[in-house]
Structure formats: C-alpha cells, structure tokens
Amino acid sequence: MSDLVYVLNGPNLNLLGTREPTIYGSTTLGAINGMLASRAGELGLRVQCHQSNHEGVLVDWIHEAHGKAARAILLNAGAYTHTSVALLDAIKAVTVPVIEVHLSNPHTREPFRHTSYIGQAARGTISGFGARSYLLALEAAAGL
Ligand code: DQA
C-alpha cells in the first residue's frame, strides 16, 4: 500500500492561527503541516499538504490523489463540508479512503454545521481535538 497521504484543507483554513482562535486555536496551518510531516516520517508515511479556498480545486486534488493511488486523504473541507455535493461526489468517485477532519466539533455548534456531505462518503471522521484532530487522522490513515 502507498505511503502517500494527501492532506487537503478548504476555505479560510489558510487563516488558522488568527481566525477565531477561541474556536480553532492559535496553531497555524503551516505548523500543523509541519507536525504532520514529522509524525508521518515516524509512521513511515509522507504527506502532501494543500489548501484552497476554491471548491473545484479541492475536487481536482481528490482526483489527483486517486491518480497517484494515495493511501488516504485527510480532508478538512471547512464550510464546504456542509454544502458541497461536488466534494461528496468526488469522494464517491474515487477509491482512496477519505478521513474527514475538523478542528472544532461541528455538532456542538450552529445547526447548519450539523450536516456533513463529506461524512456521507468518508471512511471516518475526527473532530473536536483542535490541531490534534489532524494527527489522530494521520494515525488512522497509518492503520488502514
Ligand atoms: C471546520 C468546521 C466548519 O464548520 C467550518 O466551516 C470551518 C472549520 C473545523 O475544522 O472545525 O471552516 O471544518
């Protein structure tokens, strides 16, 4: 099985560190990616990390991960989690397992965050542990 894990982050996650820190914490996305790269090395994996504010770009990266026969995709789709049939269809269209990730626990927040299109096709979901959600998801990917 491939050692390559795609890490995809959606809209506004480039602002982690300063974006609503009481909800999302003060760790930057760069720092999260650094922690993931380091832990991936320990697990015998490698990560390829991307962020976009654009839905179709995220779809393209899901296809790319499939084309490279990646082991898994860690996907924090941000607000697209709750709106994007295109991302749901992309996940259904590929064989790479997708692990849904959230820093916050959307189920404890506004009702519009309680629905996840991603979760309807994801292998599993990890949410609510801040930046550690990504590390927990990487551990899950290692165990696939
Ligand atoms: C988020 C939760 C989403 O509801 C929100 O739109 C985000 C971040 C999280 O990581 O907690 O942008 O995905």
Side-chain angles (χ1 to χ4, degrees):
M1 186 183 268
S2 167
D3 62 352
L4 177 62
V5 175
Y6 266 58
V7 181
L8 303 182
N9 280 285
N12 302 305
L13 293 165
N14 53 311
L15 298 181
L16 283 181
T18 56
R19 174 193 180 198
E20 300 186 90
T22 55
I23 297 173
Y24 299 117
S26 52
T27 308
T28 65
L29 187 58
I32 289 171
N33 290 343
M35 290 189 291
L36 285 170
S38 152
R39 185 70 184 121
E42 292 169 2
L43 294 167
L45 301 174
R46 62 199 163 94
V47 288
Q48 192 164 316
C49 301
H50 297 291
Q51 186 277 331
S52 178
N53 296 320
H54 304 278
E55 189 175 13
V57 176
L58 294 164
V59 170
D60 288 342
W61 281 327
I62 291 170
H63 296 176
E64 186 181 285
H66 176 67
K68 291 190 182 172
R71 179 191 199 89
I73 299 170
L74 314 188
L75 174 61
N76 185 349
Y80 292 140
T81 302
H82 317 297
T83 63
S84 181
V85 177
L87 284 171
L88 170 61
D89 283 350
I91 295 166
K92 284 180 168 173
V94 302
T95 53
V96 185
V98 171
I99 302 173
E100 179 182 12
V101 179
H102 300 286
L103 296 128
S104 67
N105 178 354
H107 295 286
T108 62
R109 302 180 61 195
E110 304 96 319
F112 66 83
R113 296 186 204 276
H114 296 181
T115 297
S116 169
Y117 285 94
I118 307 305
Q120 293 174 36
R123 178 68 66 92
T125 300
I126 297 176
S127 65
F129 299 99
R132 260 176 58 75
S133 290
Y134 290 88
L135 289 168
L136 294 167
L138 187 64
E139 304 273 350
L144 288 173

